[in-house]
């Protein structure tokens, strides 16, 4: 069973940047980032295929966030720029065993394993 550990969260001012990391205990395939703000449902942020060849972004983060991966390190990254107060949430990475290049599910239920989350707080 793969273990996922997120890091890199913190407090940042609006307009600032953060880079989140998700380290896996073994090779992973499709990886996704989700977030959950207080009182709100978990929402899809972005996903990347096993080889990094395909990505998908929620409209709310498109152009500001970038997902990438380093398979040699079994790590996925989320570069977050131009952060807004509405980006405040706990961010989770997740994985599903699929080698499909275009399999980038937006539903959380499609993912099999999840990390514990890292808090991102953006102050205005």
């Amino acid at each position: 069973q793969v273990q996922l550990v997120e890091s890199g969260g913190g407090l940042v001012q609006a307009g600032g940047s953060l880079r989140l990391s998700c380290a896996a205990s073994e090779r992973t395939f499709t990886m996704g980032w989700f977030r959950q703000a207080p009182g709100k449902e978990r929402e899809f942020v972005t996903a990347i295929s096993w080889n990094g060849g395909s990505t998908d972004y929620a409209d709310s983060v498109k152009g500001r966030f970038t997902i990438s991966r380093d398979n040699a390190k079994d790590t996925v990254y989320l570069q977050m720029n131009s952060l807004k107060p509405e980006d405040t949430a706990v961010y989770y990475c997740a994985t599903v065993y699929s080698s499909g290049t275009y399999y980038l599910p937006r539903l959380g239920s499609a993912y099999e394993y999840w990390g514990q989350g890292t808090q991102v707080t953006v102050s205005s």
Side-chain angles (χ1 to χ4, degrees), residues 24-25 61 79 93 115:
S25 58
V61 306
Q79 178 66 44
C93 65

Side-chain angles (χ1 to χ4, degrees), residues 12-13 40 88 94 98 102 105:
V12 64
Q13 289 188 330
K40 295 187 176 181
T88 294
S98 171
Y102 301 104

Side-chain angles (χ1 to χ4, degrees), residues 68-82:
S68 63
R69 66 189 302 159
D70 183 344
N71 287 342
K73 297 181 179 180
D74 294 327
T75 301
V76 173
Y77 304 98
L78 180 61
Q79 178 66 44
M80 305 186 296
N81 298 328
S82 302

Side-chain angles (χ1 to χ4, degrees), residues 4-49:
L4 302 176
V5 179
E6 302 96 335
S7 61
L11 173 64
V12 64
Q13 289 188 330
S17 298
L18 281 175
R19 188 176 82 155
L20 305 184
S21 298
C22 174
S25 58
E26 61 186 64
R27 177 187 178 189
T28 58
F29 294 86
T30 294
M31 293 289 296
W33 284 97
F34 290 76
R35 66 186 182 186
Q36 187 166 20
K40 295 187 176 181
E41 293 188 353
R42 181 179 61 194
E43 65 173 353
F44 171 80
V45 176
T46 180
I48 189 168
S49 61

